Amino acid sequence: MTLGLKPQKLSRATFSDFGDVIEVDGSKRILINEGTTERFHDLANIDVESGSGHTLVNIFRGQMRPQPIDIKMMERHPLGSQAFIPLQNKPYVIVVAPVGKNVGPEDLKAFIADGTQGVNYKRDLWHHPLLVLEDNNNFLVVDRGGSGENCTEHWFTDTQGIAQIVL
Amino acid sequence: MTLGLKPQKLSRATFSDFGDVIEVDGSKRILINEGTTERFHDLANIDVESGSGHTLVNIFRGQMRPQPIDIKMMERHPLGSQAFIPLQNKPYVIVVAPVGKNVGPEDLKAFIADGTQGVNYKRDLWHHPLLVLEDNNNFLVVDRGGSGENCTEHWFTDTQGIAQIVL
């Protein structure tokens, strides 16, 4: 069985159960540097300290998957949050499901982010790996480094079926 | 007295005394997500744990200063590193000086980053606040949150004079 999954527009309100939206609009603003810089302050809960973890900064470069995009699995990082911030102002797709032991196609929510919006997945949130809509699309990624097993995958069973993104 | 200061091209080699260059070229690359994503791994030493600090993610929006740019002061963050990653692919100017008690115009080094290069100032490094070359220029900033006094400024004295960026 294939479940159609239509992404909704990403916003703090629609994404609040899953983590943070990293964007200027609606953020706390502090004027610094003699008035030449606005600081939009503390936009994500970077939660990486479990098991003596620490913050990593990385760049992820994503390639397109075959269209339409099939969602056949989800993953989660039990020891840390993971933030994605687009570096090339291109829209991208986000698929998440609530924190919990099990996940299937019927649990999924999809979002479309504009190229100025980053997201921070809260610790242990089910999410699909990076889904870009153009090749060679770079993101800054802020996640956890340190020992311990920090990735769990669940591939949907035949009984569960899959979901397919409807753009 | 005004000292002319010509920026050099930013690279890991030229910037190594001051912190990290956050870029794809020359980074450790790991293929993930069924081969659809390259992870350029662990690009910056995020050093924010002094005094029970934690990682903050922010957006800074910079405005141009009068041209040519006068460098009249420097600042440092004794409790944490601070990373800037350009979100709009625009070149920008970096001015730094070695870690130490004192700083004057003759200690400065200037760099020009292309719009794909971020930098991470190591803890306590003297640096000038954000210097953009176009208005409304956004950067992702990864720095330290937590208690404690984490900003020291030094305004150059009349005897020290100033520096002026030569583009």
Side-chain angles (χ1 to χ4, degrees):
Chain A
M1 202 189 71
T2 299
L3 196 69
L5 186 61
K6 186 149 181 68
Q8 58 184 303
K9 195 171 152 7
L10 181 71
S11 70
R12 284 203 175 90
T14 57
F15 198 69
S16 61
D17 288 345
F18 308 110
D20 310 297
V21 177
I22 299 168
E23 64 180 343
V24 161
D25 291 351
S27 298
K28 182 181 177 188
R29 174 179 171 276
I30 306 168
L31 207 57
I32 60 172
N33 299 347
E34 300 176 88
T36 62
T37 305
E38 293 160 277
R39 178 180 176 119
F40 299 95
H41 183 69
D42 194 9
L43 304 178
N45 177 26
I46 303 300
D47 175 10
V48 296
E49 291 171 15
S50 291
S52 301
H54 61 277
T55 302
L56 292 184
V57 167
N58 318 274
I59 294 172
F60 280 22
R61 173 172 290 171
Q63 306 298 334
M64 284 182 72
R65 292 171 183 254
Q67 307 283 316
I69 302 168
D70 285 342
I71 305 298
K72 301 174 179 174
M73 60 81 71
M74 295 285 278
E75 67 177 33
R76 58 180 176 170
H77 305 304
L79 299 180
S81 59
Q82 188 176 42
F84 289 78
I85 300 99
L87 294 177
Q88 290 166 324
N89 286 291
K90 307 285 188 188
Y92 62 102
V93 173
I94 297 156
V95 180
V96 293
V99 172
K101 194 171 172 197
N102 301 308
V103 64
E106 71 286 355
D107 301 317
L108 307 181
K109 299 272 182 200
F111 297 90
I112 187 147
D114 74 36
T116 70
Q117 295 176 305
V119 287
N120 183 45
Y121 300 137
K122 65 182 181 185
R123 182 157 59 87
D124 214 24
L125 184 80
W126 287 113
H127 61 275
H128 194 275
L130 185 61
L131 293 172
V132 299
L133 300 172
E134 293 189 30
D135 279 337
N136 295 315
N137 206 177
N138 290 351
F139 291 73
L140 195 83
V141 174
V142 181
D143 60 5
R144 177 189 177 277
S147 59
E149 183 46 56
N150 192 25
C151 191
T152 305
E153 289 185 356
H154 174 69
W155 289 79
F156 299 152
T157 62
D158 288 349
T159 316
Q160 287 184 309
I162 66 168
Q164 195 171 67
I165 302 292
V166 181
L167 287 177
Chain B
M1 203 190 71
T2 299
L3 198 68
L5 186 61
K6 186 150 181 69
Q8 59 184 305
K9 196 172 155 2
L10 181 69
S11 71
R12 284 202 175 90
T14 56
F15 198 69
S16 61
D17 288 344
F18 307 112
D20 310 297
V21 177
I22 299 168
E23 64 180 343
V24 161
D25 290 352
S27 298
K28 181 181 176 187
R29 174 181 172 275
I30 307 169
L31 207 58
I32 60 171
N33 300 346
E34 301 174 86
T36 62
T37 305
E38 294 161 276
R39 178 181 176 120
F40 299 96
H41 185 69
D42 194 7
L43 305 178
N45 177 27
I46 304 300
D47 175 10
V48 296
E49 290 170 15
S50 290
S52 301
H54 61 278
T55 302
L56 292 184
V57 167
N58 319 275
I59 295 173
F60 280 21
R61 173 172 290 170
Q63 308 297 335
M64 286 182 70
R65 292 172 182 253
Q67 306 283 320
I69 301 167
D70 286 341
I71 305 297
K72 301 174 181 174
M73 60 82 71
M74 295 286 275
E75 66 178 33
R76 59 180 175 170
H77 305 304
L79 300 180
S81 59
Q82 188 175 42
F84 289 78
I85 300 100
L87 295 177
Q88 291 166 323
N89 286 291
K90 307 285 188 187
Y92 62 101
V93 173
I94 296 156
V95 180
V96 293
V99 171
K101 194 170 172 200
N102 302 310
V103 64
E106 72 284 356
D107 301 316
L108 306 182
K109 299 271 182 203
F111 297 90
I112 187 147
D114 74 36
T116 70
Q117 295 176 307
V119 287
N120 184 45
Y121 300 137
K122 67 182 179 185
R123 181 158 59 88
D124 214 25
L125 184 79
W126 287 113
H127 61 276
H128 194 274
L130 185 59
L131 292 172
V132 299
L133 299 173
E134 293 190 29
D135 280 335
N136 295 314
N137 207 178
N138 289 352
F139 291 73
L140 196 82
V141 175
V142 180
D143 60 3
R144 178 189 177 276
S147 59
E149 182 48 55
N150 192 25
C151 191
T152 305
E153 291 184 354
H154 173 70
W155 288 79
F156 299 152
T157 62
D158 287 349
T159 316
Q160 287 184 307
I162 67 170
Q164 194 171 68
I165 301 292
V166 180
L167 287 177

